[in-house]
C-alpha cells in the first residue's frame, strides 16, 4: 500500500509547495501519514496543463477515448487490492465494502467507455438540415468528498474524459491518498495534462471554483459548500453539477413483507455507516406494523460487528472524521434530552476510533433535529403514521429532495405514492441504489443537474447547433 507524498500535475509527480497535512485513520485516531498540500500557484499550473492538453484531447476520436478508459479500468483492476486497503485506512469502511467500492468504480469506468454522445437531427427538408452536436466544455474541476472517495472521483472523472474534457481534481483533505495513488496508476494511459490532482483544504476548492481557466465544476458534498461554489463560479459563468446532501424518507405500508423489508431498510440506512447521500435517513412506518417491524429491524441491525475495518469479521466501521463524530454525538444527546427511545445503539463505543454502533430510535418528534437534519451517520429515526396524506407532507418538508422510497406488496399503489415525493429518484421496496445507465440528481437544495448515463455525459458538453443549407 503506497501513500503518495506527491501531487500529479502535467503527467508528473510533483512535490507540494504548501507543506503537508496529517491524515488520520478514523478507526484508531492515529496519524496515517502526511499528505501533500498544493499551493494556489500549483492549482494555476494544473489548470494551465489541463488547458494546454485540452487542445489535443478534444480532437481525439470517441473510439480512442473509449480505449483509454478501458485501459484505465484494467490498471485499476490490477491495483484493486492496494486501492481498497488505502480506502479502509483513510476512510474507515470495512475492507469488504472498500473492495466493492473499487470493483464498482472499475465497472463504472468500463460502462462509461461505452457511452457515446448523440448527434440529433432536429429538422430536415429538401433544402435544409439542422443537427445538434455536443462539444466538450474544456477544463473540468472535480471536488470530491470523503464518504465514497474513489467511486465519486470516478463518477466525476470518467464522463468528463469521455466527452473530451481535461480535468483537475481535488479530493477531500480527509481522504486524499486513494486519489493521489490512482493518478499515479492510471496517469500513463493519458497524455500529460489530461488529468491532474491537487490536494489541500477548502481554500484549494475555493481557488478552483473561482478560477477563470476552469469551465465547469462538478462537486459532491454539503449543501453549504455547494452554495459557496455556486457563488464563486459566477465569475466566468462556469457550468455546474452539484450533488449535495439528501434527507431521504421511506414510507412502509402495512402489507409489506416484514422480514424482507427489515433487511432492505437496514442495508439502505447503514450503507457506508449511513454516510451516503442517498442513504435512508427517515423511516415512516404504518402504525399497524410499527412495533413488529422495529423488532425485526433491531435484530438485523444487531448482526453488525462494529470495529476497525481491517479486522476480520468487522462489518461496520467508524464514521469518517471527528467533525462528523462530534456532530452525531450531539444528535444522540439531543434525542436523549427530547425523550427518544433507543431500541439499539445510542452510545458511541468507548476507547479510540469514531465508532458509533447501528442505532435505531423511536418516540421522536417529526420536527426534531434527527428527523429534519441530514444526520449522515448510523442513527435511524422510526416514526409511526396512520394518515397517508400527512406522511406525504412530512416526506416533502425538508429542504433536501434527493431520494425517497415506498415499501409495499402493491407496486402500483407504492408508485402512485412515490410519484408525489419531491425528489430526484424513487425506489419501490429498496432504497438508494444507483445504476450507471440511470440519471441521478436532486430536486430542491439537493443539487443541480444529474450524473450517470447519457444525460450525465451530456452535462460535460455544450450544444453546437449546425444549420446546413443543401446545394442544388
Ligand atoms: P464539504 O461539502 O465541506 O466537503 C466536500 C468537499 O468540498 C471537500 O473536498 C472539501 O475540501 C471541499 N470544500 C470545502 N470548502 C470548500 C469551498 N469553499 N470551495 C470548494 N470546495 C470546498 O463536506 P464536509 O466534509 O464538511 O461534510 C459536511 C456535511 O456534508 C456532512 O455531514 C454531510 O451532511 C454532507 N456531505 C455530503 C456528501 C454527499 O455525498 N452528498 C459527502 C460528504 C459530506 P476539504 O475536505 O479539504 O475541506
Amino acid at each position: 500500500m503506497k501513500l503518495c507524498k506527491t501531487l500529479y500535475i502535467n503527467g508528473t509527480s510533483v512535490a507540494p509547495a504548501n507543506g503537508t497535512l496529517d491524515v488520520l485513520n478514523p478507526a484508531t485516531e492515529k496519524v496515517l501519514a502526511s499528505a501533500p498540500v498544493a499551493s494556489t500557484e500549483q492549482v494555476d499550473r494544473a489548470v494551465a496543463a489541463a488547458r494546454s492538453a485540452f487542445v489535443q484531447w478534444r480532437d481525439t476520436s470517441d473510439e480512442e477515448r473509449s480505449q483509454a478508459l478501458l485501459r484505465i479500468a484494467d490498471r485499476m483492476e490490477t491495483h484493486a487490492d492496494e486501492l481498497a486497503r488505502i480506502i479502509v485506512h483513510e476512510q474507515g469502511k470495512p475492507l469488504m465494502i472498500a473492495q466493492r467500492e473499487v470493483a464498482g468504480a472499475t465497472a463504472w469506468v468500463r460502462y462509461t467507455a461505452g457511452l457515446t454522445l448523440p448527434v440529433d437531427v432536429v429538422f430536415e427538408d429538401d433544402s435544409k438540415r439542422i443537427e445538434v452536436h455536443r462539444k466538450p466544455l474544456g477544463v473540468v474541476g472535480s471536488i470530491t468528498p470523503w464518504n465514497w472517495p474513489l467511486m465519486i472521483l470516478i463518477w466525476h472523472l470518467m464522463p468528463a474524459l469521455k466527452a473530451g474534457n481535461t480535468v483537475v481534481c481535488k479530493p477531500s483533505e480527509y481522504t486524499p491518498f486513494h486519489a493521489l495513488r490512482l493518478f499515479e496508476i492510471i496517469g500513463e494511459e493519458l497524455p500529460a495534462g489530461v488529468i491532474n490532482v491537487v490536494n489541500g483544504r477548502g481554500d484549494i476548492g475555493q481557488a478552483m471554483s473561482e478560477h477563470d481557466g476552469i469551465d465547469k465544476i462538478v462537486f459532491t458534498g454539503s449543501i453549504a459548500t455547494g452554495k459557496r461554489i455556486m457563488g464563486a463560479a459566477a465569475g466566468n459563468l462556469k457550468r455546474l453539477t452539484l450533488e449535495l446532501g439528501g434527507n431521504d424518507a421511506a414510507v412502509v405500508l402495512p402489507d409489506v413483507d416484514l422480514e424482507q423489508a427489515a433487511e432492505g431498510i437496514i442495508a439502505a440506512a447503514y450503507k457506508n455507516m449511513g454516510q451516503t447521500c442517498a442513504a435512508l435517513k427517515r423511516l415512516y412506518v404504518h402504525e399497524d406494523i410499527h412495533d413488529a417491524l422495529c423488532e425485526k429491524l433491531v435484530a438485523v441491525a444487531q448482526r453488525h460487528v462494529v470495529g476497525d475495518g481491517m479486522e476480520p469479521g468487522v462489518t461496520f466501521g467508524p464514521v469518517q472524521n471527528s467533525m462528523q463524530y462530534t456532530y452525531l454525538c450531539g444528535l444522540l444527546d439531543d434525542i436523549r434530552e427530547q425523550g427518544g427511545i433507543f431500541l439499539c445503539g445510542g452510545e458511541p463505543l468507548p476507547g479510540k476510533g469514531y465508532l458509533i454502533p447501528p442505532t435505531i430510535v423511536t418516540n421522536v418528534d417529526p420536527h426534531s433535529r434527527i428527523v429534519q437534519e441530514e444526520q449522515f451517520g448510523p442513527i435511524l429515526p422510526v416514526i409511526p403514521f396512520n394518515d397517508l396524506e400527512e406522511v406525504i407532507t412530512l416526506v416533502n418538508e425538508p429542504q433536501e429532495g434527493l431520494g425517497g422510497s415506498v415499501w409495499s406488496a402493491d407496486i402500483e399503489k407504492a408508485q402512485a405514492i412515490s410519484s408525489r415525493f419531491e425528489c430526484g429518484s424513487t425506489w419501490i421496496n429498496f432504497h438508494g441504489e444507483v445504476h450507471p445507465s440511470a440519471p441521478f440528481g436532486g430536486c430542491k437544495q439537493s443539487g443541480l443537474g444529474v450524473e450517470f448515463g447519457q444525460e450525465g455525459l451530456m452535462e460535460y458538453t455544450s450544444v453546437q447547433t449546425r444549420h446546413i443549407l443543401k446545394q442544388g
Side-chain angles (χ1 to χ4, degrees):
M1 182 175 85
K2 180 175 173 193
L3 302 173
C4 296
K5 305 283 183 204
T6 48
L7 312 167
Y8 190 80
I9 299 174
N10 204 18
T12 327
S13 296
V14 177
N18 204 12
T20 58
L21 59 81
D22 285 345
V23 174
L24 299 190
N25 178 337
T28 61
E29 298 177 54
K30 288 195 181 133
V31 175
L32 173 63
S34 298
V37 178
S39 63
T40 46
E41 289 70 33
Q42 287 182 311
V43 174
D44 292 342
R45 246 177 278 153
V47 173
R51 285 228 77 80
S52 131
F54 175 62
V55 178
Q56 235 195 334
W57 184 248
R58 71 174 169 205
D59 291 336
T60 51
S61 68
D62 188 58
E63 178 56 22
E64 280 174 80
R65 296 199 291 268
S66 290
Q67 290 306 322
L69 263 57
L70 292 173
R71 290 194 306 272
I72 286 171
D74 291 344
R75 286 205 175 218
M76 285 172 66
E77 213 154 53
T78 307
H79 291 269
D81 187 59
E82 182 188 5
L83 288 169
R85 280 166 197 275
I86 294 173
I87 292 171
V88 180
H89 281 87
E90 68 178 357
Q91 203 284 334
K93 64 188 70 182
L95 182 60
M96 199 201 296
I97 304 179
Q99 285 165 336
R100 277 194 224 133
E101 180 171 351
V102 178
T106 309
W108 215 284
V109 178
R110 294 208 167 100
Y111 185 89
T112 310
L115 288 175
T116 51
L117 290 164
V119 175
D120 287 337
V121 177
V122 291
F123 177 85
E124 180 149 36
D125 67 8
D126 291 346
S127 64
K128 204 162 75 176
R129 189 167 73 237
I130 306 178
E131 298 173 352
V132 177
H133 290 248
R134 296 273 166 174
K135 289 167 67 73
L137 294 166
V139 177
V140 172
S142 151
I143 303 175
T144 44
W146 40 259
N147 55 341
W148 291 96
L150 179 73
M151 192 57 145
I152 294 175
L153 174 58
I154 292 300
W155 287 348
H156 290 187
L157 185 58
M158 292 306 150
L161 295 177
K162 186 70 207 314
N165 303 278
T166 55
V167 189
V168 177
C169 298
K170 188 204 98 63
S172 165
E173 69 189 67
Y174 296 112
T175 55
F177 290 116
H178 71 283
L180 300 170
R181 181 69 181 125
L182 177 76
F183 279 46
E184 272 192 356
I185 292 168
I186 68 172
E188 278 173 23
E189 299 299 348
L190 298 163
V194 171
I195 55 169
N196 307 272
V197 61
V198 286
N199 182 48
R201 301 181 176 86
D203 58 321
I204 295 294
Q206 182 78 20
M208 286 167 62
S209 308
E210 289 169 357
H211 208 293
D212 281 342
I214 293 184
D215 303 282
K216 174 190 170 103
I217 293 283
V218 52
F219 168 73
T220 303
S222 64
I223 293 175
T225 304
K227 287 179 183 175
R228 275 200 286 280
I229 289 173
M230 197 168 184
N236 66 339
L237 289 179
K238 283 182 190 63
R239 275 48 182 163
L240 291 173
T241 300
L242 302 177
E243 208 276 89
L244 310 178
N247 191 359
D248 287 15
V251 172
V252 188
L253 302 186
D255 64 353
V256 83
D257 178 316
L258 290 181
E259 298 280 345
Q260 215 178 319
E263 296 284 347
I265 288 165
I266 292 299
Y270 300 134
K271 190 171 280 183
N272 204 29
M273 285 55 74
Q275 303 166 117
T276 301
C277 53
L280 194 170
K281 295 180 181 137
R282 300 175 281 152
L283 184 65
Y284 298 95
V285 180
H286 193 276
E287 61 182 13
D288 288 354
I289 54 160
H290 176 268
D291 293 356
L293 182 61
C294 281
E295 204 174 297
K296 299 225 179 284
L297 290 172
V298 170
V300 180
Q302 286 183 330
R303 289 206 306 251
H304 275 299
V305 180
V306 184
D308 182 330
M310 285 307 295
E311 294 290 329
V314 165
T315 61
F316 207 89
V319 297
Q320 204 279 323
N321 55 63
S322 66
M323 171 197 69
Q324 198 61 28
Y325 179 74
T326 306
Y327 170 71
L328 290 167
C329 291
L331 274 184
L332 292 174
D333 289 343
D334 185 69
I335 293 166
R336 219 170 277 119
E337 281 160 24
Q338 306 286 323
I341 298 169
F342 292 108
L343 300 182
C344 61
E347 290 283 352
L349 297 195
K352 286 287 179 197
Y354 306 129
L355 292 165
I356 298 179
T359 295
I360 298 176
V361 58
T362 58
N363 202 37
V364 291
D365 186 284
H367 296 102
S368 59
R369 287 184 57 204
I370 183 60
V371 183
Q372 290 297 316
E373 294 178 18
E374 180 190 23
Q375 70 271 46
F376 219 67
I379 311 171
L380 178 67
V382 187
I383 304 139
F385 76 90
N386 60 18
D387 183 307
L388 208 45
E389 289 306 313
E390 270 175 28
V391 89
I392 292 172
T393 305
L394 289 173
V395 165
N396 289 334
E397 230 168 37
Q399 60 176 354
E400 296 90 351
L402 195 58
S405 61
V406 179
W407 303 64
S408 169
D410 185 341
I411 305 286
E412 252 177 62
K413 185 175 177 188
Q415 281 217 58
I417 295 167
S418 70
S419 71
R420 296 174 63 196
F421 291 0
E422 291 164 1
C423 58
S425 296
T426 63
W427 295 271
I428 307 297
N429 293 325
F430 69 135
H431 191 115
E433 288 192 18
V434 292
H435 191 275
S437 68
F440 176 73
C443 297
K444 302 198 282 188
Q445 295 196 32
S446 282
L448 212 63
V450 294
E451 297 189 87
F452 316 155
Q454 189 82 47
E455 280 189 62
L457 185 65
M458 290 203 281
E459 294 228 356
Y460 292 90
T461 66
S462 60
V463 162
Q464 184 176 66
T465 307
R466 297 184 189 167
H467 301 257
I468 301 153
L469 201 55
K470 297 176 183 171
Q471 295 211 316

